[in-house]
């Protein structure tokens, strides 16, 4: 198949329109149409259904678009590796992690990274879904479990535990629980046991639910749980990495905590020599060392 025709097909399939694809490629609509027609003739198949609102891929078109999408992402990876052969750290780095870790631990520390590498551009993608690193949905990931995808370089960064925290004002008003049974007198703030979260966190939530909290607020990420705790709504199930940034939170029932959750940094094997990856990896490792030092000083390690 003609590479140029495949490039034009990919642009049309992605845009859903001959006109929009032509604008991207700096080609006329008629030129794009001729190339698509020639590709369909060479394959002896129809790639698009044409209708008034644009173009829809046929089944055969979907198969070809899947292949060209993979090719495009591989070319992006190769381009990134070529750019990373330069001496300076610059360009875009796509980082993915969970909403809680990204907003509460990583984002507040990024000014130090930008101070050191002002030409670096970070695209921070916060979601619970595990993005496909080999397919370049992201360049580097920080996850609360070891990635299972093949062809990834993995580094274990630290472990976290889910613990119980409340504000001093809430405890002054509602009382401090002395045992797990006392949860029945309080409002619990947590992710629901069935929400997308680490197994250790879900297990702790199930244990607490079994004690029948008086009231309940569930939020689908730890950032929301934290906001409930800071606003004196109840006792929250939160990761222990918050204690440095929010030293005024009061730990409740210190004997109750989840199992340890490993935190991993991962990136594709093909980006092993990326200077952007190396800069980000070293930054995260240095911040974790500093974080643990601060926790020791606070007497929390």
């Amino acid at each position: 198949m003609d590479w140029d025709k495949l490039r034009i097909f990919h642009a049309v399939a992605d845009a859903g329109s001959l006109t929009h694809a032509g604008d991207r490629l700096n080609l006329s609509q008629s030129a794009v149409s001729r190339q698509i027609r020639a590709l369909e003739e060479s394959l002896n198949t129809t790639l698009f259904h044409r209708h008034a609102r644009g173009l829809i891929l046929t089944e055969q078109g979907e198969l070809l678009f899947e292949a060209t999408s993979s090719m495009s992402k591989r070319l992006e990876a190769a381009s990134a590796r070529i750019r990373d052969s330069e001496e300076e750290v610059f360009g875009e780095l796509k980082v993915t992690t969970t909403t809680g870790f990204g907003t509460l631990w990583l984002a507040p520390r990024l000014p130090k990274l930008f101070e050191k590498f002002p030409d670096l551009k970070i695209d921070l993608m916060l979601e619970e879904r595990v993005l496909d690193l080999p397919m370049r949905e992201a360049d580097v990931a920080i996850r609360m479990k070891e990635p299972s995808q093949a062809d990834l370089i993995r580094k274990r960064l630290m472990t976290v535990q889910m613990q119980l925290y409340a504000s001093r004002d809430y405890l002054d008003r509602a009382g401090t629980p002395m045992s797990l049974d006392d949860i029945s007198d309080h409002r619990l703030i947590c992710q629901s046991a069935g929400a997308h979260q680490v197994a250790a966190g879900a297990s702790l939530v199930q244990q607490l639910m079994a004690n029948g909290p008086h009231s309940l607020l569930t939020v689908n990420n730890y950032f929301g749980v934290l906001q409930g705790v800071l606003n004196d709504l109840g006792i929250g199930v939160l990761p222990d990495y918050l204690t440095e940034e929010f030293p005024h939170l009061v730990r409740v029932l210190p004997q109750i905590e989840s199992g340890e959750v490993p935190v991993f940094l991962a990136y594709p094997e093909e980006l092993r020599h990326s200077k952007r990856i190396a800069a980000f990896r070293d930054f995260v490792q240095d911040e974790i060392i500093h974080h643990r030092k601060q926790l020791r000083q606070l007497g929390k390690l």
Side-chain angles (χ1 to χ4, degrees):
M1 284 182 279
D2 187 301
W3 282 96
D4 198 47
K5 289 184 177 63
L6 289 175
R7 178 178 65 90
I8 293 172
F9 161 79
H10 182 78
V12 174
D14 190 47
S17 159
L18 294 174
T19 302
H20 292 157
D23 291 341
R24 291 185 188 179
L25 300 168
N26 294 318
L27 295 172
S28 67
Q29 179 179 340
S30 59
V32 173
S33 181
R34 283 195 302 272
Q35 294 285 359
I36 295 298
R37 190 161 52 248
L39 180 60
E40 289 179 325
E41 289 173 358
S42 70
L43 295 173
N44 193 29
T45 191
T46 300
L47 298 172
F48 293 98
H49 293 303
R50 293 158 175 82
H51 62 84
R53 294 193 302 274
L55 301 175
I56 297 177
L57 288 166
T58 63
E59 183 179 353
Q60 293 78 12
E62 292 278 5
L63 289 172
L64 186 59
F65 185 52
E66 182 179 341
T68 58
S69 296
S70 177
M71 291 161 53
S72 176
K73 288 172 180 174
R74 292 295 182 186
L75 288 171
E76 286 178 11
S79 175
R81 290 184 63 183
I82 292 169
R83 291 194 302 271
D84 281 336
S85 65
E86 302 292 334
E87 288 297 324
E88 297 180 15
V89 175
F90 68 98
E92 184 181 68
L93 183 68
K94 294 183 287 187
V95 179
T96 180
T97 188
T98 61
T99 302
F101 191 83
T103 55
L104 300 173
W105 192 91
L106 180 59
R109 291 171 166 78
L110 287 179
K112 296 180 184 177
L113 180 64
F114 284 118
E115 183 179 351
K116 188 172 183 180
F117 302 109
D119 296 325
L120 191 61
K121 299 176 183 177
I122 300 292
D123 181 3
L124 187 56
M125 295 175 283
L126 306 180
E127 53 183 297
E128 309 312 310
R129 181 173 69 94
V130 177
L131 300 187
D132 192 329
L133 298 184
M135 290 301 293
R136 295 307 304 278
E137 288 188 310
D139 299 315
V140 59
I142 298 177
R143 285 290 166 190
M144 306 300 125
K145 63 181 293 187
E146 184 170 6
S148 59
Q149 293 168 302
D151 301 322
L152 293 181
I153 295 174
R154 305 161 174 79
K155 180 168 184 60
R156 183 165 171 152
L157 298 173
M158 62 179 181
T159 60
V160 301
Q161 289 180 288
M162 309 306 153
Q163 299 170 344
L164 298 177
Y165 296 93
S167 68
R168 171 53 59 194
D169 285 348
Y170 171 80
L171 295 175
D172 287 345
R173 184 180 75 244
T176 300
M178 304 306 294
S179 71
L180 195 55
D181 291 340
D182 294 339
I183 288 293
S184 60
D185 297 325
H186 292 269
R187 178 179 297 111
L188 182 67
I189 311 171
C190 61
Q191 295 192 57
S192 66
H196 191 101
Q197 60 179 311
V198 294
S203 178
L204 177 58
V205 168
Q206 288 175 341
Q207 180 185 3
L208 295 167
M209 293 287 199
N211 285 269
H214 173 71
S215 179
L216 183 66
L217 170 64
T218 58
V219 190
N220 66 347
N221 59 65
Y222 289 121
F223 179 77
V225 173
L226 175 64
Q227 297 311 305
V229 172
L230 293 177
N231 285 281
D232 311 324
L233 286 178
I235 297 171
V237 179
L238 289 166
D240 59 1
Y241 57 70
L242 293 173
T243 54
E244 182 185 348
E245 283 67 39
F246 299 92
H248 299 302
L249 289 180
V250 179
R251 186 167 176 194
V252 176
L253 297 175
Q255 73 276 20
I256 305 298
E257 59 187 6
S258 76
E260 291 188 344
V261 179
V263 180
F264 282 86
L265 182 143
Y267 52 92
E269 174 71 35
E270 61 193 9
L271 294 180
R272 173 183 291 274
H273 301 294
S274 165
K275 288 181 172 57
R276 290 194 297 275
I277 295 284
F280 181 77
R281 179 198 62 214
D282 293 346
F283 154 74
V284 171
Q285 290 177 320
D286 289 346
E287 285 303 305
I288 285 174
I289 291 171
H290 178 74
H291 172 66
R292 293 181 64 83
K293 181 179 179 181
Q294 292 294 105
L295 292 183
R296 279 194 293 271
Q297 291 176 350
L298 292 170
K300 296 181 178 180
L301 266 187

